[in-house]
Amino acid sequence: MIDLKYISQRRLELGITLQTAAEVLGFKNASNYLKYESGEYKFRADMLPKLAELLNCEMQNFFND
């Protein structure tokens, strides 16, 4: 299961806006990205490498044990 709290906290720690995250993942606006980060939609596997690069972390950090 993807650790949405980690993703959100990491983004905030790095000062990355919702809009920037949205653009990196190919969304037009922040509200679309927020639906993924809040759990309304599920991140697809092809999004995770881009997200890891944006958040300067490893993909394995996204998963709970």
Side-chain angles (χ1 to χ4, degrees):
M1 190 136 176
I2 293 187
D3 187 347
L4 299 174
K5 186 175 178 182
Y6 172 82
I7 292 171
S8 176
Q9 287 179 335
R10 183 72 178 153
R11 181 180 58 75
L12 292 171
E13 284 171 11
L14 296 174
I16 298 168
T17 65
L18 288 170
Q19 184 62 38
T20 297
E23 290 170 3
V24 166
L25 293 180
F27 302 127
K28 291 185 179 173
N29 57 53
S31 64
N32 287 346
Y33 172 78
L34 185 58
K35 291 177 182 178
Y36 287 87
E37 195 174 276
S38 68
E40 189 175 335
Y41 297 157
K42 294 185 187 289
F43 282 105
R44 296 185 321 266
D46 66 332
M47 295 175 170
L48 298 181
K50 292 177 187 174
L51 194 57
E53 186 176 336
L54 174 70
L55 299 178
N56 195 24
C57 66
E58 301 293 326
M59 284 194 308
Q60 62 212 30
N61 295 118
F62 298 148
F63 299 95
N64 301 350
D65 290 333

